[in-house]
Amino acid sequence: MPRLLNFQDVLTAQTTPEATLGEVAQLPDGRQFKYVRFNAITAQAQLLMPMANTAVTNIIETSNNGAAQTVFILETGAAWTVGQFQNAFGLVSDGTGSGQFFKVKDNTADTLELYPEYRIRTALGVTSDLILVRPNLVRLGPGDSLLAPSTGFYQGFTATVANDYGWVQNRGIGCVLPDTEGAVTINVPIAPSNAVAGSVEMVGASSVNAETMVGIMVAPNVAASLISIADITIG
């Protein structure tokens, strides 16, 4: 059973996390939300999607913790921001140890620390490559023809700033933002806009993102590019 939120929870962002990233919860009226971290300024009704994957090539070495579990992956010269890969998922995508799945607990400027439960079973080396996936760090999306999964719509009245935390809506009645490409009409499917990041467009013959439909328009604004109401269906 998802955690029950109150209305104020989903209408404001936080500077420090107040829930687990990726947690799914709902309001008493049944609308569903996911807890995320925002990569940039986000305004009410804007659509968000995960950050692009990060490729890491030519790992230097792996090392163990005090319990002899291989949980450290070193990439000399990486210059990462401390904590930027917290709770990321990873895959050894090529080279020695290929095929191993893991979850990152934290990172320094050049080292990933894994959760012991997701430790590396086969040590990595200079031929090993990684892919890091951060589904709960979100950006405006897509604004192009990229077919990528959507996360949800931000419903807060005040815009977020980079690295804020908050809830985005993925189910139920909520605010969406049509793009400037043309009017949307009632009871039509909507998809991510291929022209304006954070916006949606009506699904039609010319919609290149129709495969990633995110809801049904139930109350369009009289003018394009103004907040409207949709029945959101993501995931």
Side-chain angles (χ1 to χ4, degrees):
M1 179 73 180
R3 177 154 70 101
L4 200 61
L5 302 171
N6 61 52
F7 294 129
Q8 189 62 31
D9 290 331
V10 304
L11 297 177
T12 56
Q14 304 92 43
T15 56
T16 57
E18 296 181 0
T20 302
L21 286 174
E23 181 181 353
V24 175
Q26 67 181 43
L27 289 171
D29 59 18
R31 288 180 290 163
Q32 185 171 286
F33 293 76
K34 184 177 183 181
Y35 200 69
V36 299
R37 184 179 180 184
F38 299 93
N39 183 61
I41 295 172
T42 303
Q44 186 182 27
Q46 288 190 304
L47 175 64
L48 296 136
M49 64 184 293
M51 294 291 293
N53 296 343
T54 300
V56 181
T57 58
N58 302 323
I59 296 301
I60 302 302
E61 65 180 6
T62 51
S63 57
N64 295 349
N65 60 13
Q69 298 167 320
T70 305
V71 298
F72 298 106
I73 301 175
L74 174 64
E75 174 75 337
T76 300
W80 294 319
T81 299
V82 174
Q84 77 176 88
F85 294 114
Q86 284 179 356
N87 291 305
F89 297 93
L91 175 70
V92 184
S93 57
D94 197 12
T96 303
S98 179
Q100 296 182 85
F101 173 76
F102 58 87
K103 186 173 184 181
V104 179
K105 181 178 181 181
D106 206 351
N107 69 275
T108 65
D110 61 6
T111 302
L112 301 174
E113 179 185 359
L114 313 186
Y115 284 96
E117 296 86 348
Y118 285 95
R119 61 189 177 274
I120 293 295
R121 263 67 179 185
T122 301
L124 310 184
V126 293
T127 65
S128 303
D129 295 337
L130 312 178
I131 296 175
L132 300 176
V133 179
R134 293 178 287 176
N136 304 313
L137 178 64
V138 296
R139 62 185 175 94
L140 297 182
D144 52 34
S145 59
L146 176 67
L147 294 178
S150 299
T151 303
F153 293 85
Y154 177 59
Q155 300 296 312
F157 294 130
T158 303
T160 75
V161 297
N163 296 316
D164 274 355
Y165 298 83
W167 296 95
V168 295
Q169 186 176 351
N170 55 23
R171 290 276 170 178
I173 296 295
C175 295
V176 301
L177 188 65
D179 65 20
T180 56
E181 296 296 289
V184 292
T185 57
I186 190 170
N187 295 333
V188 298
I190 53 174
S193 169
N194 68 342
V196 182
S199 296
V200 298
E201 64 185 15
M202 188 166 55
V203 172
S206 62
S207 177
V208 296
N209 289 331
E211 293 89 342
T212 54
M213 191 183 84
V214 294
I216 302 291
M217 182 64 66
V218 297
N221 206 303
V222 294
S225 74
L226 293 178
I227 289 176
S228 302
I229 299 176
D231 188 357
I232 299 166
T233 53
I234 298 175

